[in-house]
Amino acid sequence: MAPDCTPFERQLIEGCRKGSPQYQEMFYKHFYGFTMAIALRYHPVRQDAGSVVNDSFMKVFARIDRYSFEETFKGWLRRIVVNTALDQYRKHIKHTQTVEYEQAESQDIEVDESVISQLTAEDILTLLQHLPDQYRMVFNLYEIEGYSHEEIAGQLKLSVSSSRVYLVRAKEKLARLVKSYFPNHNERFHS
Amino acid sequence: MKDSIHKRLTDHIRKTVGRYELPYEPGSWEEFQRLQRRRRQQPVIWFRYALAACLLLGILGVPVWFYTNKSDGTQLAVRSPKSGLSGQRPLHPSVENRQRVGAVLPDRIAAGANRTEKPLVRSAKGTSTETKEKNAANRQDEYEQNRFENQNRGGVNNRLEIADRLPKNRFIQPETPFNETRQTRISADLPAESSTQTASFAFINPRSIRFLQHPLRPLSLPLSIWKNEPAVAKIEPAKTGPKPVWGVSLAPQSVYAAGSSPSVAVGGGLFSEIPLSRKFSLSTGLSMAQQKLGTKEAGLMVFSTVPQLVSTGIRLTSVDLPLNIRFRPGRLASKGFYAEAGLSSLAFLNEHYAYTYEQTRQETISVMGTNGQEVHVTQLVTTQQTTTQSAPAFQKIYWGRIINLSIGVERRLGTQFRLSAEPYVKYPVGPFTRENLMLGSGGVSLRLGFQSGR
């Protein structure tokens, strides 16, 4: 049994493998929050994220037979969602012009550590929403999913150096965003 | 310091979003199901459209195919030589290469009679057949070349110019009259048995005389009598048997369904008639009609808090695929009468249903009483609510659900067109449509048919 699977989840997976609509519904509702959270990191617009989620579940129901309980189910599911989000991004990027973003400011940004530790998931999603698409993609893939720059370059059709640059700029921009959105920890949490 | 902040921020983000999950949003599963259904239906819908297109192509294509096949069989009746040459026996070279006979070639005459005498002498001396063929071929080549030039240069003016450019002494009056030359040369080139074989070698007396009267005038005769083919008679396929008819139809009709009042509609489409025998033919086609119906529910409850279905408005766009046998009774056939019977298959491009529900409820209102005081009165208020539903196009094909019966009369319009009026009844064998209606219709089908080749 997969290490992260509860007996209930295993039951859901087995039910989906049999093609039972009831189990599919339960599966969908059970994993909806997990997949939506991943999708929102890549596509902050709710509608786009919903589309990624639904497409991901389509793939999951179609390929659930291929899942072997050797790896964690959530890892398998996460990979599907991320790949679907990348597909959507690639589809979207075809119709949008790539713009060269502004150079990062060279000055150091000082952010209170307590501010960082108090950032909630919603705050982080809001911050990510303010990142340019390419920065957000590279940041998510590198820092959260653990992809290498070579892999990211391959996935996003970038050069490896661009991927590195985008990551640095994404981090700097995030820090600036944290600073500008939450300038004073005390004001925010104790007022 | 900078890296430290970035590291801390990144670590925090990774840790926080890694555990983050959103609550389930109601309606998401239903949305997912809709998407799933739409994606599943997509290939099916395309398949249905493709099937419908194939059917249409088949219906219209079969008569064309029939017709084409018959046209291919157009026979060319070659008049056999009078000499009795027939069958597998190879034709004489002069018959095979009809244009080789150069007796009336204008340029040959213009080039001088001396050149034309040689083969005559040779043939008189009994030159072998091969030599004669070679000579004939050479003459043919020359003739073809000159004729091509003349034709390319165009009309009479061009030809006159050409004549002017020619050396004046080039034209030499033939020693023998043209008729004789021609006759002699034909006889020289042809053996005796085939000299009068075909009509192609008929003399052209009037023109040749005119030509001799105006020797400097270039021969502008098209010589169309020298046909590229032997005398042929085209056998018209129309004379060999009946041909398919296809055309358009318009059908004002009355539509009815069990529990509904009849309504008027108009349909139209394409049809084709494929002859099977002298009396029978296969009639098929594709017609469309937009039909509107209204059904009313019986036994309404007078007072009910629950909404009751009171009526249904139905709007259908039907596609009818009939397959009928047409019978032309012996005596009446000459007057154009016929009878038809068969089955129809149906599909719907659009099925639209509007359900009207009625709900009666009690309402208390205040009215002024006779004594001038306000009185509360309870009254029944009836409200209606309409909901609509539609079925997707070609959701189902109902094979052979309708019996077609009709009689008709047909009149010819000219040689190729036929106009027919056909009163008909379409009686449902079983229920169809999404609401399982027993839907029938009756009307008059007006048809304008086209039969090519007559």
Side-chain angles (χ1 to χ4, degrees):
Chain A
M1 185 195 272
D4 68 331
C5 263
T6 61
F8 174 66
E9 285 171 349
R10 193 184 170 90
Q11 204 179 342
L12 291 180
I13 294 165
E14 293 293 352
C16 288
R17 280 184 165 177
K18 288 172 189 163
S20 160
Q22 288 79 21
Y23 278 99
Q24 283 185 346
E25 185 180 350
M26 283 194 284
F27 181 96
Y28 182 93
K29 288 177 177 173
H30 183 77
F31 287 107
Y32 175 86
F34 174 75
T35 52
M36 186 53 118
I38 300 168
L40 276 172
R41 281 204 324 260
Y42 290 87
H43 297 279
V45 179
R46 200 88 182 177
Q47 200 181 350
D48 293 346
S51 175
V52 169
V53 168
N54 284 339
D55 283 352
S56 303
F57 276 108
M58 293 265 187
K59 289 180 186 174
V60 168
F61 291 143
R63 301 172 191 177
I64 202 156
D65 283 342
R66 297 186 205 170
Y67 171 70
S68 59
F69 286 96
E70 290 161 6
E71 61 177 320
T72 64
F73 182 74
K74 281 194 172 174
W76 184 77
L77 184 57
R78 174 193 291 267
R79 209 165 55 241
I80 287 178
V81 180
V82 170
N83 285 335
T84 311
L86 287 174
D87 287 342
Q88 181 124 334
Y89 168 76
R90 280 191 289 260
K91 220 185 296 175
H92 175 72
I93 206 78
K94 274 183 194 170
H95 307 289
T96 54
Q97 214 172 352
T98 310
V99 287
E100 199 59 39
Y101 299 107
E102 76 280 8
Q103 290 289 323
E105 291 169 18
S106 56
Q107 64 183 28
D108 286 352
I109 301 146
E110 287 184 19
V111 183
D112 192 350
E113 196 172 338
S114 59
V115 173
I116 293 172
S117 60
Q118 292 298 325
L119 287 174
T120 62
E122 285 85 2
D123 294 334
I124 292 165
L125 287 177
T126 311
L127 293 174
L128 288 174
Q129 195 177 344
H130 287 83
L131 283 182
D133 286 351
Q134 286 173 319
Y135 291 6
R136 186 173 57 247
M137 286 289 159
V138 174
F139 180 82
N140 273 318
L141 291 172
Y142 187 88
E143 293 294 351
I144 300 170
E145 312 302 340
Y147 281 48
S148 67
H149 282 298
E150 284 76 16
E151 286 171 324
I152 294 167
Q155 289 279 353
L156 302 183
K157 307 270 185 291
L158 300 170
S159 64
V160 176
S161 58
S162 293
S163 174
R164 289 180 203 279
V165 171
Y166 288 159
L167 180 66
V168 173
R169 289 186 190 170
K171 285 179 180 176
E172 285 173 351
K173 182 138 182 127
L174 275 174
R176 264 183 284 133
L177 284 168
V178 172
K179 175 91 177 160
S180 58
Y181 274 83
F182 314 108
N184 192 332
H185 168 75
N186 292 330
E187 271 180 27
R188 183 182 178 215
F189 295 103
H190 302 289
S191 60
Chain B
M1 176 71 183
K2 186 175 150 186
D3 285 345
S4 157
I5 287 169
H6 287 168
K7 192 173 181 307
R8 269 183 278 138
L9 182 60
T10 308
D11 287 344
H12 179 74
I13 289 172
R14 197 182 298 125
K15 202 164 59 184
T16 311
V17 298
R19 291 195 302 257
Y20 180 61
E21 282 188 25
L22 276 95
Y24 172 74
E25 287 172 52
S28 301
W29 168 248
E30 286 73 21
E31 177 61 33
F32 174 74
Q33 276 184 312
R34 270 195 291 276
L35 183 73
Q36 212 174 16
R37 220 176 296 128
R38 212 162 44 228
R39 289 200 184 167
R40 273 184 202 153
Q41 278 176 355
Q42 221 160 14
V44 179
I45 286 169
W46 279 112
F47 173 74
R48 283 175 185 156
Y49 278 116
L51 189 70
C54 286
L55 276 173
L56 181 62
L57 207 66
I59 289 159
L60 298 176
V62 164
V64 176
W65 180 74
F66 265 78
Y67 174 67
T68 313
N69 268 7
K70 286 189 174 176
S71 297
D72 289 346
T74 301
Q75 294 165 19
L76 294 175
V78 180
R79 195 189 302 169
S80 59
K82 287 177 184 172
S83 61
L85 291 173
S86 60
Q88 299 300 315
R89 189 180 166 184
L91 292 172
H92 187 275
S94 63
V95 178
E96 286 177 353
N97 305 304
R98 291 164 302 279
Q99 290 180 348
R100 288 186 188 180
V101 181
V104 291
L105 304 183
D107 294 292
R108 296 289 306 162
I109 296 165
N114 291 338
R115 284 172 61 192
T116 59
E117 282 176 5
K118 273 193 174 179
L120 291 178
V121 173
R122 271 193 219 160
S123 63
K125 287 178 183 175
T127 315
S128 69
T129 312
E130 285 176 11
T131 319
K132 278 190 286 184
E133 278 178 19
K134 278 180 186 173
N135 289 333
N138 290 337
R139 284 197 301 275
Q140 169 66 15
D141 293 339
E142 279 178 37
Y143 166 69
E144 285 293 338
Q145 193 178 350
N146 290 329
R147 197 178 68 153
F148 177 71
E149 282 174 13
N150 288 338
Q151 280 176 352
N152 280 350
R153 280 170 193 163
V156 174
N157 291 336
N158 282 346
R159 286 195 289 272
L160 286 171
E161 283 172 23
I162 296 160
D164 289 339
R165 284 202 301 271
L166 288 170
K168 297 295 179 192
N169 60 353
R170 195 180 166 199
F171 181 78
I172 298 165
Q173 181 81 21
E175 287 171 9
T176 54
F178 174 70
N179 283 349
E180 288 176 29
T181 309
R182 188 167 165 268
Q183 199 174 3
T184 317
R185 294 198 49 189
I186 291 171
S187 59
D189 280 335
L190 299 176
E193 62 169 2
S194 62
S195 60
T196 55
Q197 275 176 355
T198 70
S200 304
F201 304 109
F203 300 136
I204 341 165
N205 291 331
R207 288 185 184 277
S208 57
I209 289 166
R210 251 203 323 268
F211 166 73
L212 288 173
Q213 284 168 353
H214 306 282
L216 281 177
R217 184 181 165 197
L219 187 62
S220 59
L221 278 175
L223 295 178
S224 56
I225 53 163
W226 297 91
K227 293 187 175 180
N228 293 331
E229 294 158 5
V232 294
K234 203 170 187 180
I235 295 174
E236 300 239 348
K239 291 176 185 170
T240 61
K243 283 189 294 187
V245 177
W246 57 90
V248 290
S249 65
L250 184 74
Q253 57 193 264
S254 172
V255 188
Y256 66 91
S260 81
S261 51
S263 65
V264 178
V266 177
L270 305 165
F271 75 90
S272 62
E273 188 195 334
I274 303 159
L276 298 174
S277 67
R278 202 168 139 265
K279 285 187 177 179
F280 290 95
S281 59
L282 185 71
S283 174
T284 181
L286 193 79
S287 64
M288 279 177 68
Q290 191 158 47
Q291 300 158 335
K292 286 180 183 173
L293 290 165
T295 60
K296 281 197 171 181
E297 302 298 319
L300 282 177
M301 291 177 74
V302 178
F303 180 77
S304 170
T305 52
V306 181
Q308 298 289 318
L309 180 67
V310 286
S311 66
T312 310
I314 305 164
R315 200 174 68 232
L316 306 167
T317 308
S318 64
V319 178
D320 187 340
L321 179 69
L323 195 64
N324 300 330
I325 296 290
R326 183 177 286 193
F327 172 65
R328 294 172 198 276
R331 286 180 186 173
L332 292 171
S334 58
K335 292 175 182 172
F337 285 99
Y338 61 86
E340 228 176 69
L343 290 173
S344 264
S345 302
L346 282 123
F348 291 94
L349 268 178
N350 182 27
E351 284 185 72
H352 185 87
Y353 301 91
Y355 304 98
T356 304
Y357 295 91
E358 203 170 81
Q359 188 176 11
T360 309
R361 63 178 192 273
Q362 281 185 321
E363 266 188 9
T364 307
I365 55 169
S366 301
V367 293
M368 188 68 74
T370 47
N371 55 1
Q373 290 201 342
E374 197 179 84
V375 181
H376 296 287
V377 179
T378 304
Q379 64 174 17
L380 296 174
V381 179
T382 306
T383 54
Q384 284 196 339
Q385 191 185 358
T386 304
T387 57
T388 57
Q389 281 186 19
S390 293
F394 294 112
Q395 195 179 30
K396 195 174 175 185
I397 298 174
Y398 303 94
W399 298 102
R401 291 294 172 93
I402 286 184
I403 292 177
N404 301 320
L405 295 169
S406 66
I407 51 168
V409 62
E410 188 176 74
R411 289 283 178 269
R412 284 189 179 277
L413 296 175
T415 52
Q416 290 182 317
F417 292 95
R418 296 169 175 202
L419 185 69
S420 64
E422 187 183 308
Y424 70 90
V425 176
K426 287 177 176 285
Y427 189 79
V429 180
F432 52 94
T433 74
R434 205 186 72 161
E435 290 289 309
N436 287 329
L437 295 171
M438 292 282 280
L439 190 72
S441 64
V444 179
S445 174
L446 302 168
R447 296 178 165 193
L448 180 65
F450 172 79
Q451 186 177 31
S452 66
R454 276 189 71 103

